[in-house]
Amino acid sequence: MTMKVLYLPIGRKTFDLEAGEIQRGKSSEMLNDLGVEVIEPEGILTSPDDLNDFLKAIPEEEVGVSIYQSVTFADGEFVETLIKQVQAPVMVWSIREPSINGRLRLNSLTGGNSTSHVLKCAGHPYSFLFGNPEEAQIRGRLTKYLKVQQMIQDLREFKIGVIGEHPPGFFFSGTDEEMLHKQLGVEVKQVDLMKAFEESKKLTEGEWEHAVDRAQQQVIGLNRNDETVQRFAQFTTYVESIVDKEQLSGLAIRCWPEFFNELGAAACSTLSQFTEDGIVSSCESDIHGSVSMFILQQLSGGKSPYLGDMVHVNEASNSVVFWHCGAGAYSLAHPDQGARPGVHPNRKLGFTMEFGLKPGQVTMFRVSYTPEGYRLLVMRGNALDTPKRFNGTSVEVELETDINGTLYSLMEEGFEPHYALVYEDVVEELKELGRQLGLETIVYTKE
């Protein structure tokens, strides 16, 4: 769904509206070129009454973001009128003064300063933008801001299927469903794991063979006659029906010990295929892990994320290894090796993924939960072109911050042991997400 943006150019007649109108026109043109639906007046709104009349004709539920451009100085009555009628977050935009050594023609910056103060005191979510519409940094900042706002809307529509309770002692995999929905908008749908096993085994080859066909498109050397491959296809097909029926966007699946004891196969392949195809899926029923993967997927433009334990430290290369037993979207495999089938390193049952991840810049992220509430963890690094370190799937990441200092800080902060990762630099977007949601954001980057 295309985001609807409310663009409000605000000014007072005591300033140079002719110069302001030039900037309004350029701003409107730039905003309409961003791929969003812009709701805007025909000219600068010069009184709170004019603003009020314009807003009355707009259904509030249609507005995703308000862009309040202080074309000239304007007092706090304007933005107060706005937030009384429209609850959407506000981007406050001040433009540059057109000339110096003479009359102060716009005083836009003071207008933005005043507006920001009103919003801060009102506790209304907002961000600030400074510069003229033709500047590349303005387009870049707006694009990132709108991407974050779209992702927040997507989170409110995110529904995760939790298939089975988390294993005993894996407390970090659980959640407070009411708080999760209240703070992030995420809805949880519980699915019975044992029923899923029973129903999946009833499926005929004609019903599940498409799942094997799909896997063979990217998994090199897959034996479709292997019994564990067929079990994977049956279970995946059954879960597909649940995903379609419940309109799920993510999964958190209890992968052990029941998959091995009751189904006779590993869950890793199911997780890998769903994540590859856009339904983010976490093992060990890690609900916040799946939410973290979803956020990275949305902010990166749909790239497949990875979820892994931090299992090894290499001080010589200032790096850590993220690993899991055998889950990983097919497209994450190192191109020289490709995604290959394997068996679970401990249970010796297939089918799992067996590859090292590709090199490239990555962002690590976690939606973290403590009794005090939610917080965000953000790290950035470089996935190294090194051999696969352990059986299963793994990636060695050189961090931007000192490895030992970061390691001890992560432990002292008590972050969960599952880290989501994506091949895109979305650090600034994640920091903005924390600001918009009012969450503590702990960042480990070189800036």
Side-chain angles (χ1 to χ4, degrees):
M1 182 183 297
T2 302
M3 174 175 283
K4 295 186 178 182
V5 173
L6 177 61
Y7 168 50
L8 300 172
I10 303 297
R12 283 293 196 182
K13 293 179 180 179
T14 50
F15 291 92
D16 188 347
L17 290 184
E18 185 176 346
E21 184 60 31
I22 293 172
Q23 294 301 322
R24 184 206 66 79
K26 291 180 179 179
S27 300
S28 173
E29 183 179 356
M30 187 270 287
L31 288 171
N32 279 280
D33 194 42
L34 290 180
V36 296
E37 182 179 337
V38 182
I39 304 169
E40 58 185 318
E42 295 181 355
I44 298 172
L45 298 170
T46 58
S47 74
D49 288 340
D50 289 344
L51 173 59
N52 187 60
D53 291 342
F54 177 72
L55 293 176
K56 282 181 179 178
I58 302 169
E60 180 188 342
E61 62 272 12
E62 290 190 0
V63 178
V65 172
S66 296
I67 296 181
Y68 179 105
Q69 187 180 51
S70 191
V71 180
T72 77
F73 172 79
D75 55 71
E77 285 186 273
F78 286 85
V79 74
E80 189 175 65
T81 298
L82 169 62
I83 62 177
K84 282 181 179 178
Q85 296 198 42
V86 180
Q87 295 303 306
V90 178
M91 169 64 82
V92 180
W93 184 1
S94 287
I95 56 179
R96 299 182 187 277
E97 190 63 26
S99 62
I100 55 174
N101 299 324
R103 177 193 175 198
L104 190 62
R105 297 165 62 188
L106 298 179
N107 201 16
S108 171
L109 184 56
T110 302
N113 199 160
S114 174
T115 300
S116 298
H117 171 70
V118 173
L119 291 168
K120 180 69 173 181
C121 291
H124 193 96
Y126 76 97
S127 287
F128 177 73
L129 186 67
F130 178 70
N132 290 350
E134 62 270 23
E135 298 175 29
Q137 60 97 5
I138 291 294
R139 177 183 284 265
R141 286 177 180 271
L142 270 172
T143 299
K144 287 183 178 181
Y145 176 77
L146 293 174
K147 186 194 299 184
V148 170
Q149 293 301 335
Q150 181 63 62
M151 199 277 303
I152 291 173
Q153 288 189 17
D154 293 342
L155 261 182
R156 296 190 182 114
E157 299 174 1
F158 181 51
K159 190 175 182 181
I160 180 173
V162 180
I163 309 179
E165 296 287 336
H166 62 75
F170 280 58
F171 305 120
F172 67 87
S173 287
T175 193
D176 180 327
E177 293 185 22
E178 184 177 348
M179 182 173 291
L180 180 64
H181 183 68
K182 180 179 179 180
Q183 292 206 5
L184 299 181
V186 177
E187 182 180 350
V188 173
K189 170 65 179 178
Q190 298 289 343
V191 180
D192 187 280
L193 179 63
M194 299 309 293
K195 181 180 178 182
F197 288 152
E198 294 169 7
E199 294 300 320
S200 69
K201 292 176 182 179
K202 297 176 184 177
L203 298 177
T204 64
E205 183 173 355
E207 293 173 304
W208 55 254
E209 63 182 351
H210 74 278
V212 183
D213 294 338
R214 166 68 189 92
Q216 282 191 313
Q217 294 173 16
Q218 289 178 271
V219 180
I220 301 169
L222 183 66
N223 177 10
R224 65 183 303 131
N225 295 319
D226 186 305
E227 184 178 355
T228 63
V229 172
Q230 295 175 4
R231 292 298 189 197
F232 142 79
Q234 288 176 312
F235 187 80
T236 299
T237 299
Y238 177 74
V239 174
E240 285 173 349
S241 69
I242 301 296
V243 168
D244 292 340
K245 177 183 176 182
E246 300 293 341
Q247 293 297 291
L248 304 177
S249 300
L251 298 168
I253 301 178
R254 175 170 172 141
C255 51
W256 62 268
E258 287 81 5
F259 260 84
F260 305 105
N261 298 338
E262 304 297 332
L263 190 67
C268 307
S269 45
T270 293
L271 299 166
S272 302
Q273 186 147 302
F274 272 113
T275 300
E276 179 68 32
D277 292 340
I279 305 296
V280 293
S281 303
S282 62
C283 59
E284 295 164 336
S285 290
D286 182 2
I287 295 171
H288 296 140
S290 187
V291 173
S292 303
M293 294 171 76
F294 178 76
I295 290 171
L296 290 182
Q297 175 185 263
Q298 299 306 98
L299 290 180
S300 67
K303 292 185 178 180
S304 297
Y306 179 73
L307 188 71
D309 298 334
M310 184 171 60
V311 299
H312 177 68
V313 170
N314 185 347
E315 286 91 345
S317 56
N318 200 59
S319 62
V320 296
V321 174
F322 295 100
W323 164 93
H324 236 135
C325 316
Y330 308 146
S331 58
L332 298 181
H334 194 294
D336 291 346
Q337 177 186 5
R340 296 181 180 273
V343 296
H344 191 276
N346 298 329
R347 305 287 180 146
K348 306 304 180 185
L349 278 174
F351 95 88
T352 65
M353 291 295 99
E354 190 69 33
F355 59 75
L357 274 64
K358 61 189 178 183
Q361 188 175 53
V362 294
T363 302
M364 287 75 70
F365 173 65
R366 176 80 192 186
V367 175
S368 175
Y369 179 75
T370 71
E372 287 72 44
Y374 283 101
R375 58 182 178 167
L376 304 181
L377 166 67
V378 181
M379 298 190 289
R380 184 167 52 207
N382 183 44
L384 301 175
D385 193 355
T386 53
K388 179 166 65 72
R389 296 303 190 188
F390 303 99
N391 292 340
T393 58
S394 63
V395 58
E396 185 171 0
V397 179
E398 179 185 7
L399 301 183
E400 290 188 348
T401 50
D402 173 69
I403 181 58
N404 281 320
T406 302
L407 175 65
Y408 277 87
S409 180
L410 289 170
M411 300 305 159
E412 289 161 5
E413 290 286 349
F415 281 107
E416 299 88 332
H418 281 177
Y419 300 81
L421 173 154
V422 75
Y423 283 79
E424 188 79 14
D425 181 0
V426 291
V427 167
E428 293 305 315
E429 289 90 333
L430 291 169
K431 288 160 67 175
E432 180 64 24
L433 173 64
R435 272 184 28 83
Q436 291 298 318
L437 296 179
L439 300 179
E440 178 188 12
T441 304
I442 300 173
V443 182
Y444 298 89
T445 63
K446 63 183 178 183
E447 289 89 7

